[in-house]
Amino acid sequence: MHLHGTQKINEHGRLEIGGVDTNVLTEAYGTPLFVYDLADIRSRAEQFHEAFQSNHVTYQIAYASKAFSCIAMMELADRLGLSLDVCSDGELFTAMQAGFPVERIHFHGNNKTPAELEMAVDAGIGCIVVDNFTELSWLMAMTEANAKPMEVLIRITPGVEAHTHEYISTGQEDSKFGFDLNSGQAGRAIEMIQAHEYLHLLGVHSHIGSQIFRAEGFEEAVKEIYQSIRVWIDRYDFYPEVLNVGGGFGIRYAEGDKPLPLHVYIDRMVEAAKKEAALLDRPVPEFWIEPGRALVGEAGTTLYTTGSRKDIPNVRSYVSVDGGMTDNIRPALYQAEYAAVLANRAGERAEELVSVAGKCCESGDMLIWDLELPAVEKGDTLAVFSTGAYGYSMANNYNRILRPAVVFVEDGLHECVIEREQLADLTRRERSYTAAKAVDTAK
Ligand SMILES: *Cc1c(COP(=O)(O)O)cnc(C)c1O
């Protein structure tokens, strides 16, 4: 068993996170429950800061808030000296409700609506990462009409394929994101922005994918971007002040996942950029990265209560929990794998092989296909590790299942930061259809 962050097995043989017995947490808040180990998030933010500082470059670490967004998380990100990526009005709203400094907010997305762009321009956020010509034309008109300046990066697809699942790789040419390099789209976008009175082209952005375990991908992306920069210097006299290489730093979900120390990614990408910049006799740009899962993924653990089981002789034993694809859709969405333990009996030896099923009416609602556990009984607490990213943020109400509560733990303290949804929340925004025709009620 491989524990994460401050997790340990205490003298009662139970899993403890942030100095809090998971039994205390399930009694206080019920299950399913997301538990975030704040010390782990702090340590990862610190590792990123130190990596850039030891390389003596200017930088911003923008937390990709889609991984897990709520007011308490935005406040924490601010205290940790992070910047913030948002990709919708809802994520921007949450950040603003949390009082996150707008100048450190960056807006992403392949289909930002005019209303979202307006919201970002009005708020005066730090930067918009322009993804396509549709958005660019709206942004040009809007900043002009309001006489409001805006810093922009252009998102490009560097043609680097991260070695990762197809749905979470984005840097290849055939992608819905960003401007294509080969056809000259990126160059045309640069010219348009340069000629515009209110837009300032700060630099370039690329994001090659997620759950990346090799630093070479970032190195290649930097080299590839510099190939284009050479052309842009000649044609448009454009050299980026900011080089944003995106996120996607891999984490450990299951055994077999072998993430690199965070500084290795940073060392390699900075080294590559320093080399390229020196060849051109230009300054090293400011570095921006956008980690999501690398900051919060391993810090999150989901606690479930086990319920029914179905043993099919010589086939499989299904153990069901009180959540599933409503709080963690990643296994169903991209065959994501997870590790787990019985939190209330974490000291016991594994005795059986089970498959952990969710409670939704979908055969694909499985959390873990093969998991070795002590003989599972109903009422045990199953702790699934590394659910801090894209778990709660992808949570949904399928089968009208309620979204879990979220609790932060640190130094023996625990505090609820998102309340468990209540049944009344489900119908709060609903109305009867009053124009129903009389025939509906006729027998
Ligand atoms: C999703 C995303 C990220 C964060 O990805 P992680 O794998 O969580 O680090 C960063 N930048 C962009 C543009 C993204 O779309």
Side-chain angles (χ1 to χ4, degrees), residues 105-317:
I105 299 179
H106 315 151
F107 204 131
H108 269 287
N110 68 302
N111 190 20
K112 305 177 191 76
T113 65
E116 286 174 325
L117 291 167
E118 193 97 50
M119 186 175 169
V121 169
D122 279 351
I125 68 163
C127 157
I128 291 180
V129 183
V130 175
D131 188 278
N132 56 71
F133 290 110
T134 315
E135 169 188 342
L136 183 54
S137 67
W138 280 331
L139 193 57
M140 286 166 49
M142 211 173 275
T143 48
E144 232 164 74
N146 297 298
K148 287 220 174 165
M150 180 56 73
E151 302 279 355
V152 300
L153 301 184
I154 54 162
R155 178 167 185 167
I156 53 154
T157 46
V160 174
E161 297 198 34
H163 295 264
T164 184
H165 190 287
E166 188 183 339
Y167 289 175
I168 46 181
S169 101
T170 51
Q172 74 280 20
E173 196 173 11
D174 183 5
S175 160
K176 74 166 180 171
F177 295 107
F179 294 98
D180 171 53
L181 287 175
N182 294 331
S183 66
Q185 288 180 356
R188 202 145 55 84
I190 290 171
E191 274 187 305
M192 288 168 73
I193 297 166
Q194 280 182 324
H196 195 266
E197 193 181 349
Y198 293 97
L199 298 183
H200 173 241
L201 183 57
L202 198 57
V204 282
H205 171 278
S206 88
H207 171 71
I208 56 174
S210 279
Q211 192 57 355
I212 297 165
F213 290 124
R214 296 164 62 248
E216 287 82 359
F218 293 97
E219 211 172 58
E220 282 165 36
V222 168
K223 284 188 196 156
E224 203 56 46
I225 292 167
Y226 264 92
Q227 288 300 317
S228 297
I229 290 175
R230 285 164 188 271
V231 177
W232 296 337
I233 291 175
D234 284 348
R235 289 205 193 140
Y236 317 113
D237 191 24
F238 169 61
Y239 183 79
E241 293 159 57
V242 167
L243 188 58
N244 186 333
V245 291
F249 313 100
I251 63 165
R252 189 160 50 76
Y253 287 101
E255 293 307 321
D257 289 341
K258 300 259 178 327
L260 293 168
L262 296 177
H263 73 87
V264 175
Y265 296 103
I266 308 304
D267 292 348
R268 298 286 287 275
M269 66 176 73
V270 171
E271 204 175 301
K274 280 183 173 170
K275 208 180 284 174
E276 297 288 338
L279 288 174
L280 295 173
D281 202 17
R282 298 274 176 158
V284 180
E286 179 168 314
F287 266 89
W288 291 8
I289 56 166
E290 308 175 320
R293 77 192 68 217
L295 285 167
V296 299
E298 288 188 45
T301 304
T302 311
L303 302 179
Y304 300 98
T305 302
T306 59
S308 65
R309 66 180 290 160
K310 172 182 177 181
D311 295 291
I312 311 170
N314 304 317
V315 177
R316 184 181 291 287
S317 291

Side-chain angles (χ1 to χ4, degrees), residues 342-353:
L342 287 186
N344 56 324
R345 295 156 60 195
E348 293 180 26
R349 285 222 339 262
E351 279 178 39
E352 62 170 348
L353 184 68

Side-chain angles (χ1 to χ4, degrees), residues 29 32-36 68 70 392 403-408 415-420:
Y29 305 102
L33 180 67
F34 279 93
V35 183
Y36 280 85
F68 172 56
C70 67
Y392 192 88
R403 268 174 265 236
V406 179
V407 57
F408 280 7
E415 190 173 345
C416 177
V417 296
I418 307 180
E419 285 175 21
R420 183 175 304 286

Side-chain angles (χ1 to χ4, degrees), residues 397 400 403 421 423-432:
N397 288 124
R400 298 237 131 178
R403 268 174 265 236
E421 223 169 10
L423 289 172
D425 292 327
L426 292 174
T427 51
R428 201 179 295 290
R429 289 168 296 107
E430 300 182 8
R431 303 284 180 272
S432 298

